[in-house]
Each structure stands twice: as C-alpha cells, then as structure tokens.
Amino acid sequence: MAAILLRNGRVVDGTGAAAFRGHVLIDGDRLEAVIPEGRELPAAEETIDVGGSVISPGFIDMHSHSDWMLWDPDHPAVLRCLLEQGVTTVVGGNCGFSPAPVRPETLERVRHYSAMLADRPVAFAWNSVSEFLDHVERTGPVLNLAQLVGHASVRARGADTLRGAMNPTEQRKCLDEMRRAFDEGACGLSFGLGYDPGMYSPLEEIQAFCGVAKESDRPVSVHIKALSWLSPCYPAAYLKPHNLRALREMLDVARKTGARLQLSHFIFVGRKTWPTADAALRMVDEARREGVDVMIDAFPYTCGNTTINAVLPYWFLAGLPDGYRSAWARARLRAEFAISFRLVGFFYRDFQVMDVAVPGWEELNGLTVEEIASRWGTSPLKAVLRLSEESGGRTLMLFHAYSGEPGNEGPLESVLRHEACLFETDVVVKSTGYPNPAALGAFPRILGRYVRDRKFFSMESAVNRMTLASANRFGLGDRGALLPGRAADVVVFDAGKISDTPPADGRPAGRPKGIAHVFLNGAHVVKDGEYVPGLRAGRVLRG
Ligand SMILES: [Zn+2]
C-alpha cells in the first residue's frame, strides 16, 4: 500500500485533545504523521482533500456479537453496515457467549447458546481460543476483532455440571481454561448472568472468575442478572428493584476482587423500570468515587435485539416442547403475562420481529406481535408461542421500551450523558430480516443527534469514548488514536451532516449520512460512504 495523504481536515485525534486543522498521512498499515495546518505537506502517492471534514480514529464497537460470523465467506455483505458507520474494531464474545473455547463432547450446548447469535449454523473448526483466532485471521475478517472469552462457553468446556454450583475440580478446570484463553489472546472475560447458565451461577463462582481476570489484568464485561425491576432471576417475593440488586451484587464483586468492570448495555427494560435509572447511575458514581474501576456502555436507541424466548419464563422453557401443547401451561402463562407485563410496563406492541427464522414466513419481519396476532386472527400470546415453536426459539426480536420510548427518552439520555458511558451497537446482524437500527446508525446517531444537535458533550469527548477510551478498556495498545506509529484505522466524516437514518412509517432504518471514508489497517475500505466489495482488511487484536 502506498502513502495516502488526507488533507484539509479537522483532526479529532481520539485522545480528547482539542480539534485542530490539519492533515493525516497514512503509510501502509500505519499512521505516518499528523500534520497541523501551515506546515509543509509531505509527498504521497494519493491525496484526498477532505474539505474540512473531521478525521478521527476508527470507532470501536465495544459490545458486539459479530464474532459469530467473522469467518463466514459471506460475512462482508452482512457486516458492511458496521464499516459504513465508521466501526473498524468489534469487541466480540459478549454476554457470556464466545465461539471458543469448546470441546467436541459439549459442543451441542454451545450450539444451543449460539443459535440466535450466528447467522448460520457454526461448524466449529476449532477448539481453543488460539485456534479460533487463527481461523478468523486466516479467513480474513472484514473488521478487526478483539475477543472476550465467555463465561458460559468456558463452563461448557470445563465442567459437566449444566447449571448451578460446580464441584471444586470443575471450577479449578474452568479457571485454568480462562487463564489459557487469556494467554492465547482473549482480551477479557464476559458474563451473561441473565441467561442460562450464568443466571444459575452462585456469586462465589462469579467472584472466582473475576479474580482470575484481575490477576491477568483483563477487564470483565457483564450482562447483569436483571435489567428490569422485576425479573425471573430473583424470587418474586424480593420486592425491591431486581435490576438494582443485580447491579449492587456485581459492584460488590468488583470491590472484593479489584476487577476492572464494564457494565454491558446499561438499559432499563420496561416503563416501570425507567424510574430506577437515577439510582443505578448514583450507584456507579459512588463505586467510582470509592476507586472501583467501573464503566458502562450503551446504544443510542430505545430498542434492542434478543430472542423471542426471552419473554418466556424459565419454568415454561424447561418444559418444552410439551409445554406448547399443555392447556395448563398456557393458562398459567396467560395469567403470569397479564400480571408481569403490567408490573414491568411492557405490551405486545413492544415486541417486533426482526428475523422470524421460519422459511416462508418472511413477510412477518418488521411486524409487532400485536400485528401478527391480528393477521393470524389469534391472541398475542398464541402468536408468541407459535413463533417460538416454529422457529425453535430462533425468532430474533427487537424489543422496545428500553430506557424510554420515542418522545420520552430521559433514562437513555441520562446514561449517554454519563462521563463513564462508552458506546456500542450490541447488534445481532443477520443476512435476512428487519434490521436493528443500531446496526446501521449507532455511532452516527451519537455524533449527529447527541453531539451536534443536542450538545450533550463535545465532539472531542464523544470521539474519545468511541476510540481511545474504548481501546484502553480492553488493552488494545495501538488502536484508538491518531498518533504516528499507530494502526491506520481512520474515519472521515462531515460533522454538519453526520446522522443515522432511523426507521419511519414502517420502513426500516437506512444507511447513515455524512461518513465519507473509512480506512482499516491502511486499506481504503469505505469510499464515498460505500463499502468496497471484496476488501477484508481486518485483523485479530490479541490481548
Ligand atoms: Zn447482553
């Protein structure tokens, strides 16, 4: 690759320092120089006049699930939307689930966990983390990957106990698996404590895992046990907000172990949970004042993706598939939904199908459960059960009323404004269906709506959080800043125009506006806003 000069830019270098007019020289896969206006321009094979646009480091999506497809030959067509919004690095392996380590005997368990996250069935051409990372590197990912090791995956490999406390030998094996994963390049640990099996793990186990992360100087990303004030993970008799209890438990683990804590997708699920946002942020503030190394992350939308089975209680899931036919189970479910939906502040209209995952039913993608029920002439509950059964639980949903709703986004805004908040997409990107708007526009929305239009924080601060602060969180040494010698991951965008194109009038979200160019390890992967097909310039960033 030849030297490329980006001239006449407004350099926002990722460190948080004030923007300045200048030029950036890329040589091969490195940044060669950042030159303030007025100095002599170096020679270059190619010069692009960016006409006053911002030049910044590539964005880091610090909570991604795209590690479940980065080896697939067709993944560039699916994940191009991330590059086109300026993302150059994804942190994968979140919510407890990583594609490695695995072992053949317990592969079925990991397959089951990953059914919703992967775009296609996974062949698992690896066992260890290093084999997995080598495989991704060899096949050529379209983005950089920094990989977390998932607690659920480590358990499936190291222990035969499915749920709940492991015996001491199993636990020792799991902790050794984790040390090995770190040695082999995993840059942190993740938990999915709202999902099977994490939801059954005792606090002592969580603490032991965090202890090893601390001893290896790796961060811990955690999807806490409850994200709504009432959740099936704690007894219904516990009358205080369940999400605050889950948060307190995890902060206490960080206090005891000294682990670097990253609270994943800091959301408040359901209208009745929104009022707990201030108390949750105060708990984070208090812990930070005490010296606990804790940060949070969030996506800038009031909807998020998960499986249809996330609405079904555990007693019902444990009794499948017979439960679909049981009149008793349906009656109990109907009664429970009537109560719990009202208590949490959720309605069937909040559940929108992203990818139905049933051949022939594609026309349902984008509809809410309420709309599907009326189309089928049935009740919303029956519609949920039919979708769950026919898809084997693989129907991917977009749930609304996360931290607010259009026109009433107070809790979301408090989170985004918080000094310890980093940004993410948290998207499950699929080749089919109705897209999660964050897949197309999360980062442009922050820079347009919240920086330019609403002035929540400065451009320098927003870019710092999207780049260097996120890189530092995961120890990605040569990423996140426009400094000579660093990797040439660069975004060029028009600060006056940048924005997402959110869904409207039944139409899904569209491509973002204002992003002109993206360079990934020096390769010009997005030109005039469009991904250049065929380019797979990503690398594996080992911890
Ligand atoms: Zn999660």
Side-chain angles (χ1 to χ4, degrees), residues 63 65 95 195 223 265 426:
H63 188 99
H65 297 289
C95 299
Y195 301 114
H223 171 139
H265 38 59
D426 185 26

Side-chain angles (χ1 to χ4, degrees), residues 41-54:
L41 285 176
E45 278 84 348
E46 187 188 349
T47 296
I48 300 172
D49 190 326
V50 304
S53 285
V54 170

Side-chain angles (χ1 to χ4, degrees), residues 81-101:
C81 57
L82 298 177
L83 282 172
E84 286 171 345
Q85 62 163 299
V87 171
T88 50
T89 297
V90 294
V91 179
N94 274 288
C95 299
F97 304 110
S98 52

Side-chain angles (χ1 to χ4, degrees), residues 322-336:
D322 299 345
Y324 290 125
R325 308 268 153 270
S326 156
W328 173 85
R330 280 175 185 239
R332 177 172 168 195
L333 208 52
R334 187 168 299 113
E336 280 191 13

Side-chain angles (χ1 to χ4, degrees), residues 193 203 222-228 234 238 241-255 261-268 276-287 292 294-296 415:
L193 301 180
L203 276 172
V222 56
H223 171 139
I224 60 175
K225 224 165 207 187
L227 296 167
S228 56
Y234 294 109
Y238 183 80
H242 292 189
N243 59 323
L244 297 183
R245 173 171 167 178
L247 177 58
R248 187 175 335 102
E249 284 177 359
M250 219 44 230
L251 289 171
D252 284 343
V253 168
R255 283 184 181 101
L261 194 62
Q262 185 64 36
L263 295 163
S264 297
H265 38 59
F266 208 71
I267 50 174
F268 300 89
T276 62
D278 287 341
L281 289 169
R282 274 200 305 274
M283 285 162 71
V284 171
D285 286 334
E286 199 180 293
V292 178
V294 54
M295 293 187 86
I296 61 180
V415 170

